Every structure is written in C-alpha cells, then in structure tokens.
Amino acid sequence: MTKPKIAVIFYTMTGTNHQVAEEARKAAEAAGAEVRLRRFAETAPKDVIEGQDQWKAQLEKMQDIPEISHDDMVWADGYFFSFPTRYGNAPGQVRAFIDTLGPLWQKGKLADKTATATTSAMNTHGGQESTLLGFYTTLMHWGSVIIPPGYTDDALYAAGGNPYGYSANAGEFDDTGRAAVAHQARRLVQMTARVAEEAVHKAA
C-alpha cells in the first residue's frame, strides 16, 4: 500500500487545537503516514496578543513548528485541519492562508487530495458544526476528497457524536477526545492510501 503524506495543519490561541493536532500527528504516523505538522500564521496585532498572557505563551510555545506553506500543500496527499470556530466560521488566520491558494487550486494542484477537519468552541453549541460544514465547501472548490469521521467508531459517540469532524470545548481535550481524534486521523490515512493507490493504478 502507498505510504500517504499527511499535512496536519492547525491554528490555536490557547492550545486546544495544538493538542488535537499533536494527537492527530501521532495517530497518523502510527498508521503508517509520513507527516508534516504545520501551523497557520498568526495575523492578529502584536499588541492584542501581548495583552493576553495565555495567547502570548501559546504562541511562544509553537515557535519551533513551521508555518504552513504552499510547498506543504502541494507535497501532501491529504490534510488534517484543526482550528477553533469564530462566529460559526473558520478563524481569520485560517482564511488568510486559504485565500492565497488560488494559484494552486486553479492549476489543479489541490485536486484529488483527501481532507478532514476538527474544531473547538467555548461551549458545546458555539458553532462547531457550521464551522466544519462551511470549511468543507472550500475543499469542494479544490476538488478534494472529504473524509468525515461519520459514525465509524464507538469513540465518536463517546466524544459527542459529531459526524462532520471531532469538536471540543476549549480547554477540555481529554482521553475521550484523543480517542476520537486518533480514529479520525487513522481513517484519513487509510482513505488517503486508497486514493493514492487508485491514482497509481490509473497511471500504470
């Protein structure tokens, strides 16, 4: 089976989605994938970040993690995205990068790649589902193969049963959540390998 290349890409302010991304990275590597862990660049004004200790500390903690680049997007066979919801949508930091990808998707360089996403909010009904559903429309424009977790493992029911992608309450990423994220990451790897194998057979 083809060894898939997975980019685990996240944005976080306080650390929840960083934890999710690290869990996804570990699970994807254990499932046989080659993984790049990347973060969306921080675009918020420095003075705003400096005024919030937890945000500032988290940003300093992630300085060794490279920011996502166009090269990473082309390199990967599949993407695992993790970011918080902002008013039922992806954060501006995520959209700022996505909006630079026109030169890639217009040339078909993002097509036929797999993708899945997770999110978080301050409370259970803080816009998680709309965030994931809205983000998936972007992937449709790319021609991506969207890999939702659905209801394919008991861990998903234990973690709240969101079929679109795991969602957490901020600051509450526990063992139940880790199990759900690990399953979603493994499922992405498995399906990415299948898509890659099919592409190889067609090219042969």
Side-chain angles (χ1 to χ4, degrees):
M1 181 174 287
T2 300
K3 184 174 184 178
K5 295 177 291 185
I6 302 294
V8 177
I9 314 163
F10 72 98
Y11 174 74
T12 193
M13 286 175 58
T14 60
T16 301
N17 288 279
H18 183 190
Q19 294 177 52
V20 170
E22 289 286 5
E23 190 65 33
R25 176 189 61 78
K26 290 189 293 184
E29 288 178 342
E34 181 180 353
V35 180
R36 290 184 183 180
L37 179 67
R38 297 291 186 265
R39 62 187 175 94
F40 288 102
E42 183 57 79
T43 61
K46 184 177 180 180
D47 60 331
V48 173
I49 298 171
E50 292 286 335
Q52 299 189 47
D53 291 341
Q54 190 174 10
W55 193 353
K56 178 182 176 181
Q58 179 62 35
L59 186 57
E60 291 174 351
K61 180 180 180 180
M62 302 184 299
Q63 288 306 300
D64 291 340
I65 301 174
E67 294 177 353
I68 185 65
S69 69
H70 284 200
D71 176 70
D72 295 318
M73 297 297 291
V74 173
W75 169 85
D77 299 315
Y79 311 116
F80 188 108
F81 293 99
S82 184
F83 48 79
T85 180
R86 289 291 179 271
Y87 305 105
N89 293 286
Q93 290 84 349
V94 174
R95 299 306 317 179
F97 177 75
I98 295 298
D99 288 349
T100 72
L101 296 176
L104 297 185
W105 72 257
Q106 289 170 8
K107 295 179 181 179
K109 292 186 177 181
L110 303 181
D112 302 327
K113 295 175 183 279
T114 59
T116 197
T118 67
T119 191
S120 65
M122 290 299 296
N123 55 291
T124 302
H125 300 292
Q128 292 100 321
E129 290 187 0
S130 65
T131 296
L132 294 176
L133 291 170
F135 185 69
Y136 285 158
T137 62
T138 293
L139 306 183
M140 293 176 195
H141 281 79
W142 297 352
S144 298
V145 180
I146 299 171
I147 310 295
Y151 295 110
T152 55
D153 191 272
D154 288 344
L156 302 167
Y157 289 97
N162 187 337
Y164 313 113
Y166 171 74
S167 60
N169 285 357
E172 299 180 13
F173 187 53
D174 56 13
D175 288 344
T176 300
R178 279 186 277 274
V181 168
H183 171 73
Q184 188 169 343
R186 288 191 298 268
R187 178 170 163 78
L188 177 68
V189 172
Q190 293 163 359
M191 298 304 292
T192 304
R194 292 186 188 180
V195 172
E197 283 287 326
E198 183 64 24
V200 169
H201 289 158
K202 286 184 177 180

